[in-house]
Amino acid sequence: MAGGIVANAGASAGMHDLLHSGAWWKNSRRIKLNAWILLLLITSSTNGYDGSMMNGLQTLTQWKSAFNNPTGSMLGLLNCIQTVGALCATPLAPYATDGLGRRTPILAGAALMILGTIIQSTSHSVGQFVGARFLIGFGLTFAANAAPLLTSELAYPSQRAPLTSLYNTLWYSGAIVAAWTTYGSFRIPSSWSWRLPSVLQGLPSIIQICLMWFAPESPRWLISKGRDADALRVLAYYHADGNDQDPLVQFEYNEIKEAIALDRAASEQVSWGDLFKTPGNRRRMRIIIALAFFSQWSGNGLVSYYLNKVFDSIGITDVSTQNLINGILQIYNLIVAITASLLCDRVGRRTLFLTSNVGMLLFFTCQTITSAQYATTGSHAAANGVIAFIFLFYGAYDLAYTPLIVSYTVEILPYQLRAKGFTVFNFAISLSLIFNQYANPIALTALAWKYYIVYCVFLVFELIFMFFFIVETKNHSLEETAALFDGEEKEAELRARAAADTGFAVPKGQRTPSMEDEKVNEEMVEHHKM
């Protein structure tokens, strides 16, 4: 049975007044719900695995000799072709997510990634390897467009923000497996030193394609398709032990219906242009596009894909040492990012973002200074300083830009625009990644540590932008958070409509169109508590 209601539905019944007491791990259905969400979260692991795997493969003599010792633009192509594949799938992904549901694109994406992994693992030429990585990126886009949306739309309200924040955080779980796999496999004297890590890249997709058939569909998507009874059944089963008259379930159900109805009333046919049509939408997209570029252009791209070149520049050329440091770094990143994910509702998104930006600027500047000292003096202490500041920089980055960029993007978008808006976010990330993966090795070769100064300047711009434009969203439901950007009146109207439809009393002055033709039945609250 679900725990008791934390607070009775009062004059201004809101979702947080209706949450059930008791730990989630003591409720069998919430355990099952979180297990389904974990299945969605591992989509991010595939992406993290790829970045760390490519980092590791570049240190392997067997991989370099198999593909003609790629450098410069060819090395950039081998890294960025996965992102090119993602870009090609980007225009198609939101139509699959909105039209076919959230589960189907995840299944299709997993199937494509498994096929790409097979081709990649059996590659005997650069062309075959490039084609395989293109296919992996193409499939990943479909899965990555739908998985975080389904996570946020299924999660129990009090766990929505931490769980959705864990989505991007689990990028590091894949990175850890890849880093330690390549650390162990580099001793294999054959081509299996790089084929083995490639084979393991398909493991998350295999797990998903076996289990996703049985996962629940998004209640938001079901309501948008007129399948209200199915949506209510999902909410009741996972959020209230099957009680479809539970006050929380009724409030969620009616708030979703009202939010979708309000969005449809504003725009019957949702187009790409709607993302920029209203002042509220323009505010959303300004932040979303900025977050996409900031997440890749903060200097982290140098370590994510070209850590070996950074190490070479400070005299650490031993393959075993490079892979060992990379493996430790990924574990450290995961710990910091998980901690930040669990704090996002307590500390707040704005505080985490601003703290992250200040820390990144400080530590990347220090990394630049110590890199310059090593280049001019060859000091061993300066080289150690570079490594220390890489860890400190990533600690700052992981406070916000690992856990929050996906969850924040998803929560500020209204349902009707969520898939398309999230696609724009992923498209912007892909554009920034292509630049990083193609331009960074060329710039590092030509400029060495001086290239870091470019990122120092950009980090100053990031901090100024985030200070003026980032909006706090903690302690709101998914629908209420999206409504924040359209003004307080829209948020209040949405909450009032949901309360009225559920039968809760609404504060004086908050009259809504849905209340004009019916009296609010306050006795329903007592009935629900029985």
Side-chain angles (χ1 to χ4, degrees):
M1 293 292 291
I5 301 300
V6 171
N8 293 338
S12 57
M15 187 177 292
H16 286 275
D17 299 318
L18 307 174
L19 298 175
H20 302 102
S21 60
W24 67 266
W25 60 84
K26 295 180 180 180
N27 184 297
S28 60
R29 295 200 183 181
R30 250 188 276 172
I31 292 174
K32 188 175 181 180
L33 173 61
N34 288 342
W36 287 127
I37 289 174
L38 178 61
L39 181 66
L40 302 173
L41 297 181
I42 64 173
T43 303
S44 185
S45 298
T46 302
N47 202 10
Y49 189 100
D50 183 83
S52 188
M53 181 191 74
M54 287 304 297
N55 229 336
L57 294 188
Q58 291 169 56
T59 68
L60 301 181
T61 303
Q62 297 92 328
W63 181 82
K64 288 187 286 189
S65 61
F67 298 103
N68 304 318
N69 295 298
T71 58
S73 60
M74 178 53 70
L75 181 59
L77 175 63
L78 288 169
N79 274 313
C80 78
I81 192 61
Q82 190 243 41
T83 307
V84 174
L87 271 176
C88 291
T90 294
L92 306 174
Y95 295 104
T97 302
D98 281 341
L100 302 176
R102 308 316 199 199
R103 293 183 306 173
T104 302
I106 297 172
L107 284 164
L112 289 172
M113 284 187 282
I114 291 171
L115 178 60
T117 299
I118 292 172
I119 298 172
Q120 178 178 268
S121 303
T122 58
S123 293
H124 291 282
S125 67
V126 171
Q128 189 177 352
F129 194 84
V130 167
R133 288 185 51 71
F134 177 93
L135 189 58
I136 291 171
F138 192 88
L140 179 62
T141 298
F142 286 96
N145 184 265
L149 272 61
L150 185 53
T151 298
S152 67
E153 292 169 2
L154 275 178
Y156 190 78
S158 61
Q159 295 182 305
R160 176 186 58 80
L163 286 174
T164 312
S165 297
L166 281 173
Y167 175 83
N168 210 46
T169 297
L170 288 187
W171 189 96
Y172 287 121
S173 67
I176 288 169
V177 174
W180 288 100
T181 299
T182 53
Y183 177 70
S185 69
F186 88 93
R187 295 177 176 84
I188 300 175
S190 67
S191 65
W192 278 103
S193 62
W194 65 265
R195 294 187 195 277
L196 178 61
S198 180
V199 168
L200 291 178
Q201 186 172 4
L203 183 60
S205 298
I206 293 172
I207 295 172
Q208 285 185 323
I209 209 165
C210 290
L211 298 178
M212 273 305 300
W213 305 96
F214 312 105
E217 184 53 90
S218 162
R220 274 89 176 168
W221 183 81
L222 291 170
I223 289 175
S224 75
K225 299 301 180 184
R227 296 169 58 183
D228 293 12
D230 291 335
L232 183 59
R233 192 177 303 112
V234 171
L235 288 170
Y237 183 88
Y238 289 104
H239 291 189
D241 286 338
N243 180 11
D244 61 10
Q245 294 304 307
D246 182 89
L248 173 64
V249 169
Q250 284 291 313
F251 190 90
E252 286 185 280
Y253 173 70
N254 285 294
E255 189 172 52
I256 295 167
K257 287 185 67 176
E258 291 292 353
I260 291 175
L262 284 170
D263 289 338
R264 282 177 173 167
S267 180
E268 197 65 36
Q269 293 293 326
V270 179
S271 67
W272 292 97
D274 288 328
L275 292 171
F276 302 93
K277 184 176 290 185
T278 67
N281 287 347
R282 288 192 290 273
R283 288 178 67 198
R284 291 183 179 98
M285 297 312 299
R286 177 174 59 201
I287 294 173
I288 287 170
I289 293 172
L291 285 178
F293 281 97
F294 292 175
S295 70
Q296 304 304 322
W297 284 3
S298 297
N300 53 303
L302 295 176
V303 175
S304 295
Y305 280 87
Y306 300 105
L307 183 60
N308 67 309
K309 287 190 171 295
V310 174
F311 284 153
D312 289 344
S313 71
I314 57 173
I316 299 175
T317 56
D318 179 67
V319 172
S320 178
T321 303
Q322 289 185 356
N323 282 327
L324 179 61
I325 295 173
N326 185 34
I328 295 171
L329 178 62
Q330 305 311 329
I331 295 173
Y332 165 79
N333 284 335
L334 181 64
I335 293 171
V336 175
I338 287 177
T339 303
S341 297
L342 300 178
L343 291 174
C344 64
D345 269 341
R346 183 177 302 178
V347 177
R349 281 63 149 174
R350 179 177 170 85
T351 300
L352 287 173
F353 271 119
L354 292 179
T355 304
S356 177
N357 277 101
V358 170
M360 285 193 298
L361 176 59
L362 173 63
F363 297 131
F364 198 83
T365 300
C366 292
Q367 181 184 332
T368 303
I369 292 170
T370 49
S371 295
Q373 287 180 330
Y374 178 82
T376 54
T377 67
S379 167
H380 184 69
N384 290 336
V386 172
I387 296 173
F389 285 120
I390 286 175
F391 275 79
L392 290 170
F393 167 82
Y394 261 95
Y397 180 92
D398 292 332
L399 285 178
Y401 285 88
T402 294
L404 295 184
I405 57 169
V406 169
S407 60
Y408 192 84
T409 296
V410 170
E411 71 183 4
I412 68 176
L413 287 163
Y415 175 80
Q416 296 290 91
L417 299 175
R418 194 165 291 148
K420 285 185 170 66
F422 191 57
T423 296
V424 171
F425 169 79
N426 285 323
F427 181 78
I429 281 186
S430 295
L431 288 179
S432 59
L433 277 173
I434 287 176
F435 173 85
N436 273 3
Q437 294 164 350
Y438 195 79
N440 278 347
I442 299 173
L444 279 172
T445 301
L447 301 175
W449 68 267
K450 297 182 183 68
Y451 183 49
Y452 296 174
I453 297 173
V454 175
Y455 287 105
C456 290
V457 174
F458 194 76
L459 283 166
V460 173
F461 168 73
E462 283 186 25
L463 177 58
I464 295 171
F465 180 97
M466 297 299 283
F467 180 81
F468 284 106
F469 294 115
I470 200 70
V471 176
E472 185 55 75
T473 61
K474 69 175 181 178
N475 297 328
H476 290 277
S477 72
L478 190 58
E479 279 67 37
E480 290 164 3
T481 298
L484 272 176
F485 286 76
D486 298 311
E488 293 182 2
E489 290 183 3
K490 174 74 176 290
E491 181 191 359
E493 180 185 4
L494 175 60
R495 188 183 293 114
R497 281 175 176 260
D501 292 345
T502 307
F504 297 157
V506 180
K508 293 179 180 179
Q510 287 192 15
R511 302 289 292 174
T512 72
S514 63
M515 295 171 59
E516 292 175 0
D517 301 320
E518 61 177 333
K519 295 178 71 175
V520 177
N521 184 5
E522 295 182 355
E523 294 179 357
M524 286 184 66
V525 178
E526 295 301 321
H527 174 72
H528 288 154
K529 292 190 289 182
M530 292 177 61

